[in-house]
Amino acid sequence: AQSVTQPDIHITVSEGASLELRCNYSYGATPYLFWYVQSPGQGLQLLLKYFSGDTLVQGIKGFEAEFKRSQSSFNLRKPSVHWSDAAEYFCAVGRYGQNFVFGPGTRLSVLP
Amino acid sequence: GAGVSQSPSNKVTEKGKDVELRCDPISGHTALYWYRQRLGQGLEFLIYFQGNSAPDKSGLPSDRFSAERTGESVSTLTIQRTQQEDSAVYLCASSLDGVPGNTIYFGEGSWLTVV
């Protein structure tokens, strides 16, 4: 069965530090991959997505993610974290004609 | 409308009562999804509608849960005989069609509290 794992439940980084959030998926073909952010009290917002082409994708708010087929991973990165980045981050897999499967989420805390 | 609209935004109900949650997708979007998010947890798939195809109900947790969609517009999620474990945010999302390369847009959610 298709699945998405996010090994880190909670990550804390200092403002200005770099960030990497991990995402691994299990799927029989190249999936469509997404990262969403959920800020406190707000809805989910798409950060970026990948479905073909360049394996390094750029998103909003300075985020990027790299698709690595050999590792079945789609890790999210940001070179310098801002306090406003504190939120819950969800990795998701989309499959044609089927529902989207979301990972359990990683909560990011940012220290001043 | 400009985005996915859900109502009510908050609902407190007594255990055993029925509730209806409504979702208005973005106009023209044929795909509609319902997810449940319990406090501090991830998104749990409930049901997926795509055009006139039979909905994917594989995520509905029990027969107390049902959902309908009128054509390619409004959807209603109904929970009968609510239980305390039903307390969660119910998120609706829509996309242009079932092609996963298209972005899915989420509503703000309906917060359900069963007391």
Side-chain angles (χ1 to χ4, degrees):
Chain A
Q2 296 85 353
S3 66
V4 179
T5 57
Q6 294 178 247
D8 305 304
I9 297 173
H10 184 204
I11 286 182
T12 300
V13 299
S14 297
E15 191 169 18
S18 63
L19 171 71
E20 182 169 28
L21 303 182
R22 295 182 292 166
C23 172
N24 293 93
Y25 65 89
S26 171
Y27 186 54
T30 300
Y32 297 80
L33 296 160
F34 304 79
W35 275 99
Y36 280 83
V37 61
Q38 186 178 40
S39 298
Q42 297 187 25
L44 285 120
Q45 182 182 23
L46 178 69
L47 285 175
L48 47 78
K49 62 182 178 181
Y50 168 82
F51 49 94
S52 67
D54 193 345
T55 56
L56 183 64
V57 293
Q58 303 297 319
I60 62 171
K61 304 184 179 185
F63 285 92
E64 66 178 27
E66 186 172 13
F67 169 59
K68 292 186 177 180
R69 185 192 305 273
S70 62
Q71 298 177 18
S72 297
S73 69
F74 188 57
N75 294 350
L76 181 71
R77 301 194 293 250
K78 186 170 184 177
S80 178
V81 170
H82 188 262
W83 64 267
S84 61
D85 293 326
E88 188 90 17
Y89 291 81
F90 293 94
C91 181
V93 170
R95 303 160 301 164
Y96 193 94
Q98 300 182 57
N99 71 80
F100 286 74
V101 176
F102 284 80
T106 296
R107 184 160 63 94
L108 174 65
S109 297
V110 181
L111 300 175
Chain B
V4 178
S5 177
Q6 292 187 246
S7 61
S9 55
N10 284 283
K11 175 74 175 178
V12 179
T13 189
E14 292 181 352
K15 178 181 174 181
K17 294 286 181 66
D18 297 351
V19 296
E20 282 190 355
L21 308 176
R22 176 188 169 104
C23 173
D24 280 278
I26 294 172
S27 179
H29 281 193
T30 64
L32 187 147
Y33 313 78
W34 282 99
Y35 288 85
R36 177 170 70 178
Q37 186 179 25
R38 291 194 167 109
L39 188 63
Q41 298 188 23
L43 279 73
E44 177 186 1
F45 166 71
L46 295 178
I47 188 168
Y48 162 55
F49 296 90
Q50 173 51 56
N52 295 320
S53 301
D56 175 0
K57 303 180 180 180
S58 61
L60 294 178
S62 77
D63 59 7
R64 296 188 295 106
F65 287 73
S66 63
E68 293 183 350
R69 187 178 186 191
T70 306
E72 295 183 349
S73 60
V74 172
S75 176
T76 302
L77 177 69
T78 302
I79 308 173
Q80 296 178 309
R81 305 181 302 281
T82 52
Q83 303 295 313
Q84 288 186 329
E85 64 262 27
D86 299 334
S87 296
V89 177
Y90 290 83
L91 293 165
C92 178
S94 72
S95 68
L96 187 59
D97 56 29
V99 176
N102 289 319
T103 301
I104 57 172
Y105 297 88
F106 282 85
E108 295 289 326
S110 290
W111 290 76
L112 175 65
T113 303
V114 181
V115 296

